[in-house]
Amino acid sequence: MIYLLISLIVIFVLYLFALRGRTGHKGLQALQSWSYAHRGLHGNGVPENSMEAFRLALENGYGIELDVHLMADGNLAVIHDSSLKRTAGVDVKIEDLVTDQLHDYYLEGTQERIPEFRQVLELFAGKAPLIIELKAEGKNHAALSEAVCKMLESYNGAYCLESFDPRCIHWLRKNRPQEIRGQLSENFVGNKASKLPLVLKWVLTANILNFFTRPDFLAYRFSDRKRLGVGICRKLWKIQGVTWTLRDSQEHKDAVAEGWLPIFEYFKP
């Protein structure tokens, strides 16, 4: 019995240390005290991840969260899904396109086209912070991460990088340690739509791979935030929390009161 108890204690201690991130990045201060419009300030005929949505967010005093994909020519496009089916009505993968082809696709039946990442950087430089999600596909995590970091080298403004893919965050840890990096997560175990293997769902839900990525912040789904691992990350290891996606003023108020950086959608805080 004593050996079992000792084993359980050792496992729990290892679990605690596996959740530890990196704290003290001074760049986080520039990201605090802001609210972030999820994919820009979209809705009411304004498409998500469009230049119009980003301009509206900036005009209303918000930072933004946006999604970045690597295209076939090495350039970077801003769009959430790999497939353009939902946003542009065509079942084409953004990774198979080159820059000149972006002008061929219209977002959500409007005149808005898929933005290049550089266009968003030009708009926001020195004005408001960015939460940039790296959307890896297949095995392009390293190429994507490197391309984004290279484009940001000359950028004058506050930003951070995040991804659901721990390989992207580990790449940043190894190759660009100065960047503010964050691990995106949620309750994958309870997400029936997720096609991930059960073991991987559990590992990602519990943030076990923090030992591998050492994130500066944890970006977790708001409705899933009251999990043991999340509490340990934030209260024991003092990792900054970012939460998504807030849908009303009360959720925004609660998130801010709890110390989360808020990402909101479909309303103005």
Side-chain angles (χ1 to χ4, degrees), residues 68-71 74-78 99 116-122 132 143-156 159 176 179:
V68 180
H69 287 258
L70 182 67
M71 293 189 292
N75 199 5
L76 297 160
V78 178
T99 305
E116 295 177 55
F117 184 44
R118 64 169 182 81
Q119 293 176 292
V120 182
L121 296 182
E122 290 170 1
I132 304 163
L144 168 65
S145 302
E146 184 174 13
V148 170
C149 287
K150 282 186 175 180
M151 192 167 287
L152 287 166
E153 286 176 354
S154 59
Y155 180 65
N156 179 29
Y159 66 88
R176 295 291 193 279
E179 301 287 6

Side-chain angles (χ1 to χ4, degrees), residues 9-46:
I9 292 173
V10 170
I11 291 171
F12 185 68
V13 170
L14 290 174
Y15 171 64
L16 291 179
F17 278 91
L19 298 182
R20 187 172 60 171
R22 180 175 69 167
T23 57
H25 197 302
K26 294 181 180 179
L28 279 170
Q29 296 175 359
L31 302 173
Q32 295 166 344
S33 301
W34 286 84
S35 292
Y36 296 84
H38 189 236
R39 307 176 196 173
L41 201 60
H42 64 94
N44 296 319
V46 178

Side-chain angles (χ1 to χ4, degrees), residues 9-22 173 206-215 229 232-233 236-237 239:
I9 292 173
V10 170
I11 291 171
F12 185 68
V13 170
L14 290 174
Y15 171 64
L16 291 179
F17 278 91
L19 298 182
R20 187 172 60 171
R22 180 175 69 167
R173 177 188 179 188
N207 306 115
I208 298 294
L209 292 181
N210 279 9
F211 80 91
F212 180 66
T213 60
R214 285 290 186 263
I232 292 172
C233 288
L236 177 62
W237 298 121
I239 301 176

Side-chain angles (χ1 to χ4, degrees), residues 68 70 76 95 134-149 163-172 175 212:
V68 180
L70 182 67
L76 297 160
E95 285 80 14
L134 307 180
K135 304 289 284 190
E137 290 293 324
K139 298 181 180 180
N140 77 349
H141 58 281
L144 168 65
S145 302
E146 184 174 13
V148 170
C149 287
S163 183
F164 279 106
D165 194 328
R167 297 174 302 174
C168 290
I169 309 307
H170 181 259
W171 188 94
L172 293 172
N175 297 283
F212 180 66

